[in-house]
């Protein structure tokens, strides 16, 4: 019996490492908008960790906002399947800014939080019973959070949390890279527009015609 349990534990760990490797490879190969990566990631997570609701929140700390994105489009539609932006103080992920630790919540704990968090209240009304929030952290700091929920009261166990924490590091780096590419593209567009304006000004000496009083 002990040998069988040991073999089972070894196989589970192999499956987790394989899933992490496949996710890492997929993220490294992709130059797409980070939202397009979520189905790839969620497909592998489902093989390891069971969940019924899933979303990713991306922090905009300067504006004190959380941009929420659908993480798994194969799930039953609900509050977690809506792409929305909410004030940071109205998100259950706000606590992650303080301690940067993965947290789990029971239904009773969420009921208390939901008194001031409308979207959490909606998720509870849709059947959410157990929740896990995982910070997405890079060397530059926290960039967001991954949320996984269940419609039964079973809590996420330590092996699940260990896997999700390792996965979160991969997602965070990919998200930071995608945001950097997006910012670079915006800067290129801005510089292109400035060059066009500069060319127009240099090619037209009649500024009064361009800028009538």
């Amino acid at each position: 019996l002990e040998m069988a349990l040991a073999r089972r534990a070894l196989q589970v760990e192999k499956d987790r490492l394989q899933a992490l490797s496949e996710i890492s490879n997929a993220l490294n190969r992709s130059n797409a908008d980070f939202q397009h990566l979520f189905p790839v990631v969620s497909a592998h997570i489902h093989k390891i960790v069971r969940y019924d609701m899933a979303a990713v929140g991306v922090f905009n700390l300067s504006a004190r906002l959380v941009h929420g994105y659908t993480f798994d489009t194969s799930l039953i539609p609900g509050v977690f399947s809506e792409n929305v932006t909410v004030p940071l103080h109205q998100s259950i992920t706000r606590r992650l800014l303080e301690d940067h630790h993965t947290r789990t919540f029971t239904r009773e704990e969420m009921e208390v939080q939901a008194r001031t968090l409308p979207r959490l209240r909606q998720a509870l009304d849709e059947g959410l019973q157990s929740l896990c929030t995982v910070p997405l952290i890079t060397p530059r700091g926290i960039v967001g959070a991954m949320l996984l929920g269940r419609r039964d009261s079973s809590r996420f166990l330590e092996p699940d949390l260990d896997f999700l924490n390792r996965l979160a590091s991969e997602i965070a780096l990919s998200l930071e890279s995608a945001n950097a590419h997006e910012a670079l593209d915006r800067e290129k567009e801005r510089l292109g527009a400035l060059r066009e304006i500069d060319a127009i000004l240099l090619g037209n000496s009649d500024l009064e015609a361009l800028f009538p009083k």
Side-chain angles (χ1 to χ4, degrees):
L1 178 59
E2 290 182 0
M3 183 64 70
L5 291 175
R7 288 176 178 171
R8 172 58 181 166
L10 179 60
Q11 185 59 52
V12 169
E13 182 60 20
K14 284 183 177 179
D15 291 342
R16 293 177 187 274
L17 292 175
Q18 180 65 28
L20 287 170
S21 176
E22 292 175 357
I23 291 171
S24 179
N25 290 336
L27 294 176
N28 290 333
R29 288 195 305 267
S30 177
N31 294 319
D33 184 319
F34 65 86
Q35 293 182 63
H36 297 160
L37 302 175
F38 293 162
V40 177
V41 175
S42 62
H44 290 293
I45 297 178
H46 251 313
K47 299 176 184 178
I48 306 298
V49 179
R50 181 178 58 81
Y51 62 87
D52 306 302
M53 302 177 177
V56 167
V58 179
F59 297 150
N60 183 337
L61 298 181
S62 60
R64 304 298 293 176
L65 296 173
V66 180
H67 303 291
Y69 299 97
T70 301
F71 188 66
D72 191 336
T73 56
S74 69
L75 302 177
I76 298 174
V79 65
F80 274 39
S81 63
E82 301 170 355
N83 290 349
V84 297
T85 297
V86 299
L88 186 57
H89 70 272
Q90 291 184 10
S91 171
I92 196 170
T93 61
R94 68 190 188 280
R95 289 286 301 274
L96 297 177
L97 293 174
E98 302 170 4
D99 54 29
H100 291 192
H101 292 150
T102 295
R103 301 193 63 194
T104 60
F105 299 87
T106 63
R107 172 82 188 205
E108 291 73 20
E109 291 168 335
M110 288 187 288
E111 285 287 354
V112 175
Q113 300 270 353
R115 295 169 186 170
T116 57
L117 304 177
R119 288 182 60 77
L120 178 59
R121 176 72 266 163
Q122 184 180 343
L124 291 172
D125 293 341
E126 292 173 355
L128 179 64
Q129 300 291 329
S130 178
L131 179 68
C132 175
T133 59
V134 186
L136 304 178
I137 302 174
T138 73
R140 295 176 180 269
I142 186 168
V143 295
M146 178 170 56
L147 296 87
L148 300 178
R150 291 174 176 168
R151 285 189 167 88
D152 62 65
S153 59
S154 60
R155 301 196 68 154
F156 292 86
L157 302 179
E158 283 302 320
D160 297 331
L161 301 181
D162 177 66
F163 172 78
L164 293 174
N165 281 325
R166 286 188 281 176
L167 171 62
S169 298
E170 297 285 348
I171 295 176
L173 291 173
S174 179
L175 176 57
E176 184 177 64
S177 177
N179 285 339
H181 281 296
E182 186 178 305
L184 181 60
D185 288 340
R186 287 196 302 267
E187 184 63 16
K188 287 180 179 178
E189 291 177 2
R190 188 183 73 84
L191 290 175
L194 289 174
R195 288 194 184 100
E196 289 180 8
I197 294 173
D198 191 44
I200 293 173
L201 293 176
L202 290 175
N204 195 324
S205 59
D206 189 359
L207 295 181
E208 290 187 0
L210 289 175
F211 304 104
K213 296 179 179 180

